[in-house]
Structure formats: C-alpha cells, structure tokens
C-alpha cells in the first residue's frame, strides 16, 4: 500500500511563520510535522510515500530528499499553484498505483495506528464492496465544534446527523474516487466526500486517541509542550 502526505497548502493561519517556512516543516518535539507523519507511515509498513508540494515546496524536497533517512521512498508531486486537497490527490494518482492508498494531512499530529488500514484496504478492493472511501473521524475540537460527518452504529459515514464527528485528515481511498477530476484542476475534497456519503459509499471509524490539528501558532506551541513533556 502507498500513501500521499498532503503538503501543498499555504498555511495562512500560521503566518508570519509560513512566509519563510512551509507549514509541514514547522517543528515540534525535535521533528517537523511532516516527518512525524512519514515516520508513522513507515512504522505501519507503508514505505512508498508521495508528497505533494506547492508553497515553498523546494524546502520540503530539500529537507526530506528521497526519504531514506526516514526509512521511506519518497516521490514528489509538484503543483505550480496549490490544487486543493482533491485536486492535489488527483494530480498525484499516476504515482499512487491502482490499489487503495492512504492520504493524510501534513499539518496534523495523530497517534492513530495506520497499520490497521491494511485490512480496510482489502475490504475496499472486494468487488462486492460498495465503498470507495474510509475515513478516520475524531471528537470535535473546540475550534471545530460543529463537526463534519455523522457515523452510525454500522460504521457508515453520513453527511447529516445529530452526533457529528470531525474528519481527522486521514483517509483511505480507491483511485476511481478521483477519476472525475481533470489533472491540474483545483478541487476541494469536502464536497466529494459529502456526495459519496449521501450515496452510501463511505465507511468510517471513530478514533479516540491523541489527535491535533496544528492550524495556528498556539496549537503548534501546545504540541511542543506535550511532546517535550514525554
């Protein structure tokens, strides 16, 4: 199984830090945010990793190189201008192969066991399975109290519901899910996920462990404090 780490965003809420340093290279606990993600993928047995880059992407490529220092094999998907999440994944499809792949945001810190997605990938590849996507959902943080999706008792993700959870930024996808997107087209991921959920094509799970969206300098400082205490 392969993975893509989404690292092309501008990081507007992190300015002025991200005027000089791409958000994925901001550090906490002695590692950059993107290094934590790649190390977790490698620990889960996923060594073939694609990284999409745009804003200050040369810095990311110079820092990570071919990935061997992290135990990975990294390929890059450069974007002249950021294509948003779905557009960026669609542009990288030639590097991701034909099977299900993991996509995760570079700007989160999460201790979810990525190795558990291997069994989900086998289920998605089953011709009788209707699912094209599997999402990892988390409790709603204070800065996103409204949540994104509901999850029923059977593990089906729904766009509406009373008990909503937040999309963690970690998902497993079948390549055809992005087939409608032209290469180089800017396209957000959220509307595609909601449409697929309405069609009953999205499964999910509720992860209750450590997860942080490192979207502001304050949250980066909180992560630094947490990791320094370990």
């Amino acid at each position: 199984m392969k993975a893509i780490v989404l690292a092309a965003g501008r990081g507007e809420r992190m300015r002025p830090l991200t005027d000089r340093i791409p958000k994925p290279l901001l550090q906490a606990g002695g590692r950059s945010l993107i290094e934590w993600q790649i190390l977790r993928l490698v620990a889960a047995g996923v060594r073939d990793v694609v990284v999409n880059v745009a804003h200050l992407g040369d810095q990311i490529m110079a820092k990570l190189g071919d990935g061997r220092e992290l135990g990975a094999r990294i390929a890059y998907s450069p974007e002249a201008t950021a294509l948003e999440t779905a557009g960026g994944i669609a542009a990288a499809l030639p590097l991701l192969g034909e099977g299900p792949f993991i996509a995760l945001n570079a700007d989160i810190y999460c201790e979810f066991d990525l190795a558990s997605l291997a069994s989900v990938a086998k289920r998605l590849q089953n011709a009788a399975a209707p699912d094209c996507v599997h999402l990892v959902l988390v409790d709603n943080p204070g800065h996103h109290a409204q949540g994104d999706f509901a999850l029923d008792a059977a593990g089906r993700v729904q766009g509406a519901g009373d008990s909503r959870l937040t999309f963690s930024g970690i998902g497993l996808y079948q390549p055809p899910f992005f087939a409608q997107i032209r290469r180089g087209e800017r396209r957000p991921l959220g509307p595609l996920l909601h449409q697929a959920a309405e069609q009953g094509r999205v499964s999910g799970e509720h992860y209750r462990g450590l997860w942080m969206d490192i979207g502001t300098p304050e949250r980066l400082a909180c992560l630094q404090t947490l990791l320094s205490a370990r």
Side-chain angles (χ1 to χ4, degrees):
M1 186 161 55
K2 296 184 178 183
I4 180 169
V5 181
L6 301 162
R10 176 67 176 80
E12 291 289 347
R13 292 174 298 169
M14 276 289 190
R15 298 184 70 179
L17 294 177
T18 50
D19 288 339
R20 298 177 294 104
I21 303 170
K23 188 178 181 182
L25 291 187
L26 296 176
Q27 293 208 354
R31 293 275 188 186
S32 66
L33 298 176
I34 194 169
E35 285 178 299
W36 285 119
Q37 297 291 53
I38 293 171
L39 287 170
R40 291 201 176 279
L41 286 166
V42 171
V46 182
R47 297 188 62 202
D48 291 306
V49 179
V50 177
V51 177
N52 73 325
V53 294
H55 174 66
L56 301 177
D58 289 346
Q59 291 187 35
I60 296 174
M61 291 188 285
K63 174 67 175 178
L64 301 179
D66 62 7
R68 71 179 66 185
E69 291 187 5
L70 298 173
R73 294 181 288 262
I74 297 178
Y76 295 95
S77 180
E79 301 170 16
T81 58
L83 299 175
E84 300 199 41
T85 303
I89 293 173
L93 286 179
L95 300 171
L96 289 167
E98 298 181 356
F101 59 86
I102 299 170
L104 65 168
N105 297 347
D107 59 352
I108 60 171
Y109 182 87
C110 184
E111 296 182 351
F112 173 77
D113 180 12
L114 295 167
S116 67
L117 294 177
S119 60
V120 182
K122 291 180 180 179
R123 177 175 60 78
L124 290 188
Q125 286 183 299
N126 185 334
D131 299 341
C132 55
V133 178
H134 181 83
L135 301 181
V136 178
L137 306 176
V138 297
D139 293 329
N140 300 328
H143 58 83
H144 191 64
Q146 74 275 19
D148 298 305
F149 298 98
L151 183 67
D152 69 18
R156 310 304 304 170
V157 172
Q158 301 171 345
D162 294 334
S163 300
R164 292 164 70 88
L165 298 168
T166 290
F167 175 40
S168 68
I170 301 171
L172 187 68
Y173 301 87
Q174 285 272 47
F177 180 66
F178 301 96
Q180 63 181 288
I181 303 174
R182 299 186 307 274
R183 193 169 184 185
E185 178 185 354
R186 296 182 76 245
R187 184 78 76 89
L189 180 60
L192 293 181
L193 292 178
H194 279 277
Q195 181 183 48
E198 291 172 2
Q199 296 168 346
R201 302 172 64 207
V202 182
S203 62
E205 61 187 286
H206 183 186
Y207 171 66
R208 295 173 171 83
L210 178 60
W211 173 86
M212 295 177 66
D213 171 13
I214 315 302
T216 64
E218 293 77 17
R219 288 182 227 153
L220 181 64
C222 286
L223 178 62
Q224 174 62 37
T225 299
L226 184 153
L227 296 178
S228 297
R230 293 185 166 184

